[in-house]
Amino acid sequence: MTLRQAPRRRRTARRLLATSAGMATGLLVTGLLTAPAQAQSRTGTSPSPGAPIGTVARTVGDARFEPGSCPRTAEPIEELKGARCGTLTVPENRAKPSSKTIKLGVAIVPAAADTPKPDPIVWLAGGPGDDAVGEAKMAIDGGLNRDRDVILMSQRGTYSADPALLCPNVDKFNGQVIGLVYDAPSTERLHVDATKACRDELAGRGVDLGAYNDTQSAADYDDLRTALGIEQWNLYGISYGTHLALVYMRLHPEGLRSVGIDGILPPSNSGSAQTWSSFRQGVEGLFKACADQPACDKRYPNLSATFEKLVQDLEAKPVTTTVTLPYSKEPVKVVLDGGTLVNWLTSATHTAEAVPLSIDELANGNPQRIAQQWAGWRLNPKGIGLTSHGLAYGIFCSTWTPYESKDAALQGGQKEFPSFPSSVQAQAPLLTFLRGDCDVWNVPPAARSVRDVTSSDIPTLALSGAFDAQTGAANGPYVARTLSKAKVVTIPYEPHVVFATSKCAQEIAVSFFETPDAPKTECLKGLEAPEFEIAP
């Protein structure tokens, strides 16, 4: 269960983001590159003056950085050629003096400039459960390494960490769901069974599941900074990475020059109810963009009402069809009910141009387009075993569910979409059966302070997309209330994580790290709405 689900259509050349089952190739490449063979090992000392970051072994407190091979990635990543790599070893649970240690993969992509600035940029991946190292192409394609080194470290439990808490059985079940009634009690039982099997397998390996959370991850990054001998650095977090960045800012503000957050998920109000609010914001933005285009409005009038009626009708009487996929020899059964449609649209905002046409076809008895897309996202075999469900549940079940009511999803759905059936309202988009999953995951709640609002005078860039149905654009002004040096920017017509889709967002982000008090936003003036597909 993660907060990002569908591949997205780029207006600029970008890597496809992972689905909930992880959309990346399955070939594992270990030791792609190595650090300089003669890197000197030191303990408790600063790196030699002029030595590139990441070429010197160093121990600080309980953490040790060791240069070495680059972390494994699911496919070869060109942007990692020439990277300086290694591992950070830290305690699994800092609250336990006898805790065993874990290893986190580190890759440092050098700045393109001959004379880089001394404060690198750290990329915080989303999910929860994505691996930052596998997102090197996105970070570098967007120009973050123009003047600064870019540091990518696998969050604890993710693909290139040791241990990796991946649980491919959950990925496989997420594929099987396409042939089931999405939010039926029988589906919930199977879903929770898959989650429990995942938990039992990890616990049987001796993993301390309660140690995979925001607080420990934030400490990992602060340990990395000191172990690398860096006085000051910058953060850029996407999706869940913004959640982690805001916790980091509150717990470890020392050493932070500036922070960029993109697709904002504030710990203080994250949860099922807020997810419904984000869904409404994103789809309303998309539907309004269609209504503002005469051709789209004429061909697809009252799109919002059409969508809401479809949710009602399909929940009462699901539609079953079959589709053929490139990687499947046999036709695949797909069931479309109201819950499926909501979750499809949450992700389909990434391919906004086709949304009105897809909804219209479904309303007129043709479910194939949506069924094909839904099945393609969920069944891609390249996504098996890439997402750290152990980290995802560690976050959700320690930070979210203990501090929201059992009826939070239902109440959020009732507030934002009162016309939806209660069975749909009860399952927040992309967080289906979260309460049951957390019951069996059985980790202790985080300290209530993890939900505190982050107050800071660290320069912060708060970026959102107007079509973001996963972390709504209103989260930007929300976090800025207590960030005295925040710059809030909403990129029109863009979905979740604007750095991945918008050249303008990339330009703003790069300029922010150059001059945090005055990022360049002139590119916003020339942006245009997508041209929606119009059926004959």
Side-chain angles (χ1 to χ4, degrees):
M1 179 184 305
T2 49
L3 291 180
R4 74 282 174 277
Q5 187 160 338
R8 56 185 69 193
R9 181 174 298 166
R10 306 292 190 214
R11 295 193 186 97
T12 55
R14 295 291 167 265
R15 182 182 74 87
L16 294 181
L17 282 184
T19 68
S20 64
M23 290 283 291
T25 57
L27 179 63
L28 307 185
V29 180
T30 305
L32 180 64
L33 300 165
T34 59
Q38 302 303 316
Q40 184 179 0
S41 177
R42 300 185 175 194
T43 299
T45 62
S46 298
S48 301
I53 297 170
T55 58
V56 176
R58 187 166 183 246
T59 299
V60 179
D62 293 328
R64 178 171 178 79
F65 176 78
E66 189 77 42
S69 299
C70 280
R72 69 173 187 167
T73 57
E75 59 183 352
I77 299 177
E78 185 73 18
E79 288 72 17
L80 290 177
K81 288 185 176 179
R84 304 184 295 272
C85 297
T87 57
L88 181 73
T89 301
V90 295
E92 183 179 44
N93 191 335
R94 292 174 176 84
K96 296 180 179 179
S98 60
S99 173
K100 65 182 180 181
T101 59
I102 60 176
K103 293 183 181 295
L104 310 177
V106 179
I108 304 169
V109 179
D114 291 336
T115 306
K117 301 292 175 63
D119 47 293
I121 297 171
V122 181
W123 180 271
L124 301 181
D130 292 345
D131 193 322
V133 180
E135 295 178 351
K137 180 175 177 58
M138 190 196 313
I140 303 311
D141 276 0
L144 285 186
N145 74 322
R146 186 185 70 181
D147 300 308
R148 291 171 169 80
D149 291 352
V150 172
I151 300 176
L152 308 111
M153 182 173 77
S154 51
Q155 291 171 29
R156 52 177 50 215
T158 57
Y159 183 80
S160 64
D162 181 15
L165 314 186
L166 302 179
C167 297
N169 74 300
V170 174
D171 296 327
K172 293 175 182 177
F173 178 77
N174 286 339
Q176 297 169 9
V177 166
I178 67 166
L180 305 174
V181 176
Y182 189 81
D183 48 22
S186 56
T187 304
E188 179 175 15
R189 287 192 292 272
L190 294 171
H191 192 289
V192 173
D193 284 348
T195 300
K196 187 176 185 304
C198 167
R199 188 204 189 282
D200 291 347
E201 191 272 333
L202 294 177
R205 286 162 43 192
V207 174
D208 184 349
L209 295 174
Y212 291 78
N213 55 47
D214 293 306
T215 303
Q216 297 281 355
S217 287
D220 294 340
Y221 281 95
D222 194 56
D223 279 347
L224 178 65
R225 183 182 65 82
T226 56
L228 291 177
I230 297 171
E231 181 178 348
Q232 193 175 57
W233 66 11
N234 310 272
L235 304 181
Y236 194 85
I238 63 169
S239 191
Y240 162 71
T242 68
H243 194 283
L244 177 56
L246 289 164
V247 172
Y248 187 121
M249 291 170 71
R250 187 167 54 79
L251 297 181
H252 305 283
E254 62 280 0
L256 285 179
R257 171 180 176 266
S258 67
V259 176
I261 48 178
D262 176 355
I264 303 165
L265 191 66
S268 53
N269 72 348
S270 293
S272 297
Q274 179 59 33
T275 304
W276 272 118
S277 175
S278 292
F279 177 71
R280 178 185 54 76
Q281 293 172 53
V283 300
E284 280 187 356
L286 193 158
F287 291 162
K288 182 180 184 301
C290 173
D292 288 344
Q293 289 184 15
C296 190
D297 187 45
K298 181 179 179 180
R299 182 62 182 82
Y300 311 115
N302 304 315
L303 197 58
S304 180
T306 300
F307 171 72
E308 292 197 28
K309 187 174 188 305
L310 278 169
V311 171
Q312 297 168 25
D313 291 347
L314 288 172
E315 191 68 3
K317 188 176 180 180
V319 169
T320 300
T321 187
T322 59
V323 299
T324 301
L325 301 173
Y327 35 79
S328 176
K329 295 181 180 179
E330 301 294 332
V332 174
K333 173 186 171 183
V334 180
V335 176
L336 299 180
D337 62 359
T340 300
L341 192 62
V342 167
N343 283 269
W344 164 80
L345 184 55
T346 307
S347 300
T349 52
H350 294 294
T351 52
E353 296 89 342
V355 165
L357 172 60
S358 299
I359 291 174
D360 181 73
E361 287 184 349
L362 181 61
N364 286 281
N366 181 4
Q368 288 299 112
R369 185 184 298 264
I370 290 177
Q372 186 85 29
Q373 195 172 35
W374 179 245
W377 296 340
R378 288 267 172 158
L379 288 176
N380 193 317
K382 295 176 180 179
I384 303 297
L386 296 183
T387 299
S388 174
H389 296 283
L391 178 59
Y393 285 124
I395 302 298
F396 294 142
C397 302
S398 68
T399 305
W400 290 21
T401 56
Y403 299 110
E404 63 179 11
S405 72
K406 291 185 178 180
D407 293 328
L410 178 62
Q411 292 166 1
Q414 289 171 336
K415 177 183 177 182
E416 305 296 346
F417 291 92
S419 72
F420 282 1
S422 59
S423 55
V424 175
Q425 294 168 336
Q427 306 299 336
L430 304 186
L431 297 176
T432 315
F433 309 132
L434 179 59
R435 179 68 58 174
D437 287 334
C438 284
D439 285 345
V440 299
W441 201 254
N442 191 28
V443 292
R448 183 172 287 275
S449 60
V450 79
R451 303 280 298 190
D452 286 352
V453 170
T454 297
S455 298
S456 176
D457 60 1
I458 297 170
T460 304
L461 175 65
L463 279 171
S464 300
F467 286 0
D468 188 346
Q470 295 166 252
T471 57
N475 286 338
Y478 171 81
V479 297
R481 297 173 310 148
T482 54
L483 301 175
S484 63
K485 295 182 180 178
K487 176 69 173 178
V488 177
V489 179
T490 298
I491 310 293
Y493 318 120
E494 293 293 342
H496 186 55
V497 183
V498 293
F499 191 88
T501 61
S502 168
K503 186 68 175 176
C504 180
Q506 294 164 6
E507 292 174 1
I508 293 170
V510 172
S511 73
F512 167 75
F513 290 117
E514 183 65 27
T515 54
D517 58 334
K520 298 177 181 178
T521 59
E522 293 82 1
C523 61
L524 292 169
K525 299 175 182 177
L527 300 181
E528 298 180 352
E531 184 176 345
F532 292 100
E533 296 180 24
I534 306 298

